[in-house]
Amino acid sequence: MITRREALKTVALTAGALTLVPSLLRADTAGAAKLTYPYKVPDLGYGYDALEPYIDTMTMQLHHDKHHAAYVSNLNKALETADPKFQQMSLEELLVGLDTLPENIRTAVRNNAGGHYNHSFLWLLLQKNESGKPTGDLADAIDKDLGGFAAFQAKLEEAGGKVFGSGWAWLVAENGKLAIVSTPNQDCPITKKQTPIFGVDVWEHAYYLKHQNRRPEYLKAYWNVINWDFCNTRFKGAVTA
Ligand code: MN
């Protein structure tokens, strides 16, 4: 398990553009992701049933133990035989520097480092919080940049609904401002120097057991499982970096 001190050092080492990317890690190490090779699936930090009835137990179990684990295993596999210098890069460095990677590992890293980052972020983002609302500076910025929480919710649900096939919808900070974006597959906003503040996984594996084809219903239920304090911390990290 990575300590807080090591996590901060990781962030300090990632100079330049990477200072825009606050570490995934939080002060308590429960759920902390290991951000260097060989990669490891972080603990969920809460029970598989903690988000019921909004996200069901079996979905959480499969999502964390099988889907996330597959990204981690495939990322390690891709790096295993690569030049050791790529093993020494952090997860964030790999994602920001995708264009600099050799072609024979680039697609595998894009998909699986993205999958590892996105899901490590997701487990930290989720917490049962019925009818919760954004907090602190983030709440003010949502009012200012996106026209308020209700408008943000509507835009985010629209973006999530429009993703064709598999992908994510995100609230990101870019140049000190908030924006709603979507990414296909496991592409990660940090590759475009955007800091994820909030995200929703719209791969069918994230909702199909409970909501089947009703993605909009899943997007509505999702508002009850967001740890807005985590989002506010991410936002503050992004705008003060
Ligand atoms: Mn997923």
Side-chain angles (χ1 to χ4, degrees), residues 63 67 71 119 122 168 186 201 203 205-206:
H63 203 173
H67 292 280
Y71 297 120
H119 289 86
L122 179 65
W168 293 68
Q186 292 300 349
D201 183 347
W203 282 60
H205 69 223

Side-chain angles (χ1 to χ4, degrees), residues 16 31 48 52 59 94 104 146 152 168 173 198 240:
Y48 298 118
E52 290 273 7
T59 294
L94 288 170
N104 66 330
L146 300 171
F152 159 58
W168 293 68
F198 165 103
T240 57

Side-chain angles (χ1 to χ4, degrees), residues 74-87 94 97-112:
N74 289 329
L75 176 58
N76 286 334
K77 216 177 287 167
L79 292 172
E80 202 172 63
T81 50
D83 187 316
K85 74 181 177 193
F86 301 113
Q87 298 171 0
L94 288 170
L98 276 183
D99 290 350
T100 67
L101 301 179
E103 230 169 276
N104 66 330
I105 62 167
R106 195 182 304 147
T107 301
V109 170
R110 176 180 184 168
N111 291 336
N112 296 297

